[in-house]
Amino acid sequence: MTRKQLEDAANKIESSRSRFLEIMNFVRENQNIVEEVKNTWLSKLLRVDSAKMKIRLLYIDTINAAGGNNLERTGKSCKSFFNIVDVLDDRRQIAMKKFYTLFGENIQDHRMLFETIAMDKERFGNFGQKKTALFLRHIHVLHIQGDPRNRFISDYNIDTRQLVIPVDRVIVTVLNRIWGTDFSANGHFNEINDFARLELGNEFMLVEDLWFWGYFNTKVENGQQEIHFTVNEDKYYSANFIYPNGSLYQKLHEFSRLINQA
């Protein structure tokens, strides 16, 4: 973005700050709902014993779940990843340093790991910034929440502030409605992360939960992802990661009201 575009976006975000904070307060108050969904999904995924199998499954799940796939590129990427993790033996846990060095001998921290995976198109095709951020978020959730038996890094000590928001079409659609911006997920990935940190400080990862609330309140119309005027019941009743119930529907309706208010 040019300096002028950044200034214009910053002004729009500042003018809608109270609305943004109101919606993020809703997200904060209902964070337990999204955390339960994440933990349930990941626990089903990781019913395996060894660290290398868990790492590989997380990679495959991320590359297939986050969209934008080409089977040939995906297959090559997963083969390359398999060759990286298959050097490990069958132990249940590995050290953080060992995990880093799987991807590069000089990787010292999470930021270097993120940049290495996201930018290395030769080894990790079909795995850009969004999917890398989601992959590392999966790992973080496993080690901070949920069943300790799913943890495969023995000395995991990553602070949430070292993560990156896996900005997708749903998140950017919701933010554009709130902020009055015209961001795109790929084109403004870094700017959205920067603005989220600026607005929310250490709680910036709350923005990631907008994927859940936004999923049920968006609809594709004329090829474009748009905010729906109410809960999208087609998504609500067909989603395999929630069980429809009155309490959840009420929360989704409340989010719909917040996001659609003038």
Side-chain angles (χ1 to χ4, degrees):
M1 295 180 73
T2 66
R3 175 177 289 185
K4 179 65 165 57
Q5 289 172 323
L6 278 171
E7 289 176 352
D8 288 345
N11 289 334
K12 289 179 179 179
I13 291 169
E14 178 60 29
S15 66
S16 58
R17 192 165 192 267
S18 60
R19 186 178 178 213
F20 173 72
L21 293 178
E22 180 184 12
I23 291 174
M24 296 316 298
N25 187 55
F26 169 89
V27 172
R28 183 185 297 104
E29 290 177 348
N30 294 284
Q31 198 172 10
N32 63 305
I33 295 174
V34 183
E35 287 180 351
E36 183 177 353
V37 169
K38 292 175 183 176
N39 287 324
T40 300
W41 178 258
L42 289 172
S43 65
K44 289 179 180 178
L45 179 68
L46 292 181
R47 289 173 179 167
V48 295
D49 290 329
S50 69
K52 68 179 180 182
M53 290 178 68
K54 291 180 179 183
I55 298 167
R56 175 179 175 269
L57 283 176
L58 286 174
Y59 187 86
I60 291 175
D61 179 73
T62 303
I63 202 170
N64 286 321
N69 280 347
N70 171 285
L71 182 57
E72 183 176 354
R73 288 199 299 269
T74 295
K76 289 179 179 178
S77 183
C78 291
K79 180 180 180 181
S80 174
F81 192 85
F82 169 77
N83 290 332
I84 288 170
V85 299
D86 197 47
V87 300
L88 298 172
D89 58 25
D90 292 327
R91 69 186 64 190
R92 296 177 64 90
Q93 291 191 325
I94 59 174
M96 192 82 228
K97 183 177 180 181
K98 180 63 177 178
F99 179 68
Y100 283 158
T101 56
L102 287 173
F103 304 96
E105 290 295 329
N106 297 321
I107 296 176
Q108 302 294 325
D109 55 42
H110 236 50
R111 187 66 198 181
M112 291 178 68
L113 177 64
F114 172 80
E115 292 174 353
T116 296
I117 298 176
M119 305 305 170
D120 191 340
K121 304 303 182 185
E122 183 66 28
R123 290 193 297 168
F124 308 113
N126 252 6
F127 216 83
Q129 289 178 305
K130 177 185 71 174
K131 293 181 182 180
T132 303
L134 185 59
F135 175 62
L136 296 180
R137 191 274 280 166
H138 281 336
I139 292 172
H140 187 74
V141 171
L142 278 174
H143 288 83
I144 299 302
Q145 307 164 12
D147 191 336
R149 291 174 297 181
N150 279 330
R151 300 169 187 174
F152 55 84
I153 297 176
S154 59
D155 54 346
Y156 188 88
N157 61 352
I158 301 304
D159 189 281
T160 304
R161 290 172 294 182
Q162 298 180 52
L163 300 180
V164 178
I165 302 168
V167 179
D168 65 359
R169 287 205 319 168
V170 172
I171 292 174
V172 79
T173 299
V174 172
L175 290 175
N176 281 338
R177 171 61 68 91
I178 299 170
W179 288 340
T181 50
D182 58 354
F183 289 145
S184 65
N186 292 328
H188 302 93
F189 185 94
N190 293 326
E191 289 85 354
I192 290 171
N193 266 276
D194 290 343
F195 279 123
R197 289 177 188 269
L198 184 64
E199 293 295 301
L200 294 172
N202 293 340
E203 291 188 300
F204 75 100
M205 281 298 289
L206 279 174
V207 168
E208 199 237 347
D209 283 6
L210 291 175
W211 71 267
F212 178 84
W213 303 105
Y215 174 78
F216 294 104
N217 284 280
T218 53
K219 187 174 185 178
V220 175
E221 297 177 346
N222 299 319
Q224 298 293 319
Q225 186 95 297
E226 303 287 351
I227 298 293
H228 201 39
F229 61 89
T230 186
V231 178
N232 186 335
E233 292 197 351
D234 294 335
K235 289 183 174 181
Y236 177 68
Y237 286 106
S238 64
N240 65 354
F241 51 90
I242 56 104
Y243 191 87
N245 62 81
S247 176
L248 176 59
Y249 191 87
Q250 184 178 2
K251 292 292 185 182
L252 291 170
H253 181 72
E254 184 180 350
F255 182 83
S256 182
R257 178 185 61 80
L258 288 171
I259 201 65
N260 281 295
Q261 68 185 3

